[in-house]
Amino acid sequence: MATYVVLMGPPGGGKGTQAQRITDELGIPQVSTGDLFRAMKTQDTPLARQVQDIMASGDLVPDDITVQMVKERLSDQDCAGGAILDGFPRTTAQADALADMLADSFDTGVTVAVLIDISEAEAVKRISGRRSCPACKRVYHVDYDPPKQAGICDDDGTALDQRKDDQPDVVRDRYQVYMNKTAPLISYYEERELLERVNGEQPMESVTADLLQVIRKRIK
Ligand code: ADP
Ligand code: AMP
């Protein structure tokens, strides 16, 4: 049976970091809608421009565009065993669409939705120091998880980037969007008995250990 793990939590909560740490352990790929949308930056189409403008403002990309993109990605061969969904679903409509697509196409459902629980203050601290590799997408933090050589990716030597939407004014808007549109998914998955919580305010290795424990307990 394929395994579909939903990682939830506020922007800066550690979803991407943890997805990268558990993908090999679980043998399923990370599917980050944020990364997929950022990859559209190189396209010069009205849709790609619309997506970049929405992301720069901190708002959510419309559900129909997001759901279609995830549907296509999950049908790729490397997702045959499932996926770690990082940043999707972010609205109740997306969660319903995910349940429908998993039932219709793969005869299954979400295995577990894990909330990485951290305070707004900690999320803001993390976001302000976040840097990422534009080539391999590895995420660093200038203080908490620095590369060996400042500003350079350990894995491929590429110069690290700071995301435009990690500026303080956009971060505040993204946090509000999270509270209004995404946080309701906590009770959505709780009602369906799919929710697990881990304390995100621990060292990365401890968060990873807790995550693997709650996920493995749900894998049939
Ligand atoms: P998200 O994908 O939820 O937006 P990220 O995984 O990109 O969050 O993490 C945000 C920032 O916080 C990154 O710079 C990352 O290096 C750092 N970070 C992630 N987890 C921890 C942790 N447990 N302790 C300290 N810093 C962390
Ligand atoms: P992230 O990399 O997860 O922080 O996402 C960056 C941005 O991409 C968000 O602020 C949204 O504009 C967009 N985005 C990512 N995932 C979704 C989603 N599931 N639904 C709508 N917009 C999304």
Side-chain angles (χ1 to χ4, degrees):
M1 182 70 83
T3 302
Y4 295 92
V5 176
V6 170
L7 291 185
M8 292 175 47
K15 300 178 295 294
T17 302
Q18 294 300 328
Q20 290 174 1
R21 296 175 70 101
I22 64 176
T23 176
D24 287 345
E25 292 271 357
L26 297 177
I28 49 177
Q30 169 191 17
V31 171
S32 156
T33 41
D35 281 348
L36 291 170
F37 285 136
R38 275 184 289 278
M40 289 171 76
K41 215 165 29 187
T42 53
Q43 297 170 14
D44 189 22
T45 64
L47 175 65
R49 282 193 292 274
Q50 184 196 355
V51 166
Q52 297 313 311
D53 288 349
I54 293 170
M55 287 176 83
S57 77
D59 208 346
L60 295 183
V61 176
D63 288 335
D64 53 345
I65 298 174
T66 308
V67 166
Q68 185 55 34
M69 185 180 67
V70 172
K71 208 178 247 178
E72 285 171 19
R73 179 69 186 94
L74 291 184
S75 64
D76 288 344
Q77 190 47 43
D78 65 322
C79 292
I84 300 163
L85 295 163
D86 158 13
F88 178 89
R90 260 173 151 102
T91 63
T92 305
Q94 290 181 14
D96 286 339
L98 174 63
D100 289 347
M101 93 175 75
L102 294 183
D104 294 348
S105 307
F106 307 106
D107 195 22
T108 188
V110 166
T111 310
V112 60
V114 191
L115 174 66
I116 303 178
D117 223 350
I118 78 162
S119 66
E120 178 177 0
E122 181 61 24
V124 169
K125 254 195 267 173
R126 288 187 185 179
I127 283 192
S128 62
R130 170 160 60 190
R131 301 289 183 273
S132 39
C133 174
C136 73
K137 315 295 176 218
R138 181 165 164 189
V139 179
Y140 297 87
H141 189 283
V142 288
D143 300 316
Y144 304 145
D145 187 20
K148 292 193 183 82
Q149 190 187 339
I152 303 292
C153 180
D154 291 349
D155 293 340
D156 54 31
T158 306
L160 301 180
D161 261 355
Q162 180 168 26
R163 279 168 49 175
K164 270 210 214 89
D165 62 348
D166 279 352
Q167 303 301 327
D169 51 335
V170 186
V171 169
R172 272 191 295 276
D173 290 347
R174 285 165 59 208
Y175 197 84
Q176 273 317 307
V177 169
Y178 170 76
M179 291 308 286
N180 295 337
K181 298 189 177 161
T182 308
L185 291 181
I186 299 168
S187 46
Y188 177 101
Y189 283 117
E190 205 157 34
E191 281 158 21
R192 288 159 180 76
E193 299 185 349
L194 290 169
L195 189 78
E196 297 282 355
R197 295 170 194 261
V198 303
N199 175 7
E201 294 196 24
Q202 313 180 73
M204 285 173 201
E205 307 72 52
S206 309
V207 180
T208 306
D210 288 0
L211 260 176
L212 286 171
Q213 198 218 339
V214 297
I215 294 168
R216 287 200 168 117
K217 158 174 118 181
R218 298 272 187 158
I219 295 177
K220 284 155 204 121

